[in-house]
Amino acid sequence: MSCSFGTVLFPCFDMAEPRSPVSASVPHKLMVLPTPEGSTLEMDPLEYTLRKRLPRKLPKRRNDVYVNMKTDLKAQLARCQKLLDAHREICIHGLGLAINRAINIALQLQTSSQGALQLAANTSTVELIDDLEPDDLDEAGEPLTRTRNNSAIHIRVFHPNA
């Protein structure tokens, strides 16, 4: 499944929750979204499917590691160790929920090296874009997009100069 943005296709993930009779009976609130013109738009979240686009990544270098919550922690740690054996430094990137895992990996690398490695961390805010696609194309309006911010961390793990 992919979403188009201009002429480029991006993979999309369907983050919609399944509807059940219980959730249908629970009262829900209308979402209020700002429009580009400066006004607001009310929308019923049950009439739209939320699709989160992948975040824009920094340029990928050989010594960059993008940590996520889906891959096994030990596998990510082993990959970082293998890269450190080949390079003097690596950069570990974590976004949102993966920030804690990125910090954990960096600290485990430092501990396993008996202090031979140093860490330098930078934080940033990343703008993410979500697509809201109507479930019923006849009744609902056109697809909507919304932007949101998420925290990120970039940890440089390196051997100090002797």
Side-chain angles (χ1 to χ4, degrees), residues 40-78:
T40 59
L41 173 69
E42 286 187 359
M43 110 180 176
D44 186 355
L46 294 179
E47 294 178 4
Y48 286 85
T49 301
L50 175 65
R51 297 193 191 281
K52 295 182 177 183
R53 292 186 196 173
L54 290 176
R56 183 190 66 79
K57 289 190 177 182
L58 295 172
K60 178 78 169 132
R61 299 170 296 191
R62 289 184 197 175
N63 58 343
D64 280 341
V65 178
Y66 289 91
V67 174
N68 62 45
M69 296 302 292
K70 292 183 180 181
T71 307
D72 183 52
L73 174 66
K74 288 184 180 181
Q76 291 178 355
L77 186 60

Side-chain angles (χ1 to χ4, degrees), residues 58 66 91-94 102 120-126 152-156:
L58 295 172
Y66 289 91
C91 190
I92 302 172
H93 305 277
N122 291 316
T123 59
S124 66
T125 301
V126 177
I153 193 164
H154 317 281
I155 307 169
R156 185 175 155 240

